[in-house]
Amino acid sequence: MEKIYSLNNNIININDISNFNATHILECGQIFRYNKLNENCYIVFSKNEFAKITKINDTYQIESSNPNYFVNFFDLNTNYSQIIYKLSTHKVLIPMLNAASGIRILKQDPIEMIISFIISANNNIKRIQAIINRMCEKYGKLITFNGFSYHAFPTLNELQQISIEDFKNLGAGYRAKYLFNAIKQLQTFNLNEIYALNSENASKKLQTLSGVGPKVCDCILLFAFNKQDCFPVDTWIKKVYNSYFSETFEDNPAVIRKNLVHIFKNYSGYAQQYLFYYKRTLEKTENLN
DNA sequence: GGCCAGGCGCGGA
DNA sequence: TCCGCGCATGGC
């Protein structure tokens, strides 16, 4: 397989964009910290890093002070042609693959994913983004690069300074105590161990954290630990399942997850993102055609 | 104005 | 083990 990118100082050049679409990668719901500057330009934030992504004709430029971080972040060394081929053998996915082509599963920071998805529970994406942004602005380090200033995601030490009242003031609501307790647990939690565990054991360990149940756990495993056999089931996936995968109404997320993982196996994570994004964002406009 | 959102923890059967 | 309930807040 040929590399889809080349490195030149601070810039990653994506010269094959058949499996890279910045809009779909960033807006499909896997990441909460990004800014859209215009149709062709996004700023993406992760941990204490950021990158500017610009579409230029049939290429993308990703500019950052730490390009190697973003080669890994955007999973640029994985062959997505083969993944898309596998997904396309499932006829039900064809409309999603066409409408949302070029999604990649990001490799994000574990702490950032744990905190972000505890906040996500029974919440909507706009509010989740607002809470996380307020948290970063208040508790994350101010970083300046090339005249551009932004706030990093708070480190574990910085998170430890935030009280339950503080989290409530950020708008976290009843999740404030979950966040506070999880951060306390993380002080003595070996996150590196999760990478080596299989998904089932990794899941058991992560779900010992306060505020981390089956769905939040699947998101953390998928977006931070690259566990592709995980299938987060939220209210949108329930709708998807009952529209496309079942004759009778099913409400039990564990049953839905089991059946979908049985279908998509090691490609569950990729299939899930296409289904979630399509149902939540694209389906209505698609049907107008 | 009421329903809903990338659900979880808890108590009771 | 499973089920039903309460929960903060604001988008729409």
Side-chain angles (χ1 to χ4, degrees), chain A residues 11-12 14 17 20-23 25-26 31 33-45 50-56 59-64 70 73-74 106:
Chain A
I11 295 180
I12 306 166
I14 312 266
I17 62 165
F20 189 105
N21 181 309
T23 301
I25 291 169
L26 297 176
I31 178 167
R33 292 201 301 146
Y34 65 89
N35 291 335
K36 181 178 185 173
L37 299 187
N38 58 56
E39 284 307 312
N40 295 313
C41 189
Y42 287 86
I43 309 276
V44 57
F45 305 89
F50 87 100
K52 182 177 179 182
I53 308 168
T54 311
K55 189 174 184 195
I56 303 170
T59 68
Y60 279 99
Q61 281 194 355
I62 303 174
E63 184 181 0
S64 126
F70 286 98
F73 182 82
F74 284 108
L106 300 173

Side-chain angles (χ1 to χ4, degrees), chain A residues 10 54 66 72 75 80 83 89 119-120 143 178 182 185 218 234 241-242 276:
Chain A
N10 285 339
T54 311
N66 191 352
N72 177 66
D75 199 19
Y80 274 69
I83 293 166
T89 62
I119 293 170
S120 81
I143 298 177
Y178 303 157
Q185 290 174 278
D218 274 333
D234 69 338
Y241 184 81
N242 286 303
F276 171 82

Side-chain angles (χ1 to χ4, degrees), chain A residues 167-180:
Chain A
F167 277 123
K168 286 186 178 173
N169 289 334
L170 292 172
Y174 68 91
R175 308 164 196 85
K177 59 178 179 296
Y178 303 157
L179 290 163
F180 181 84

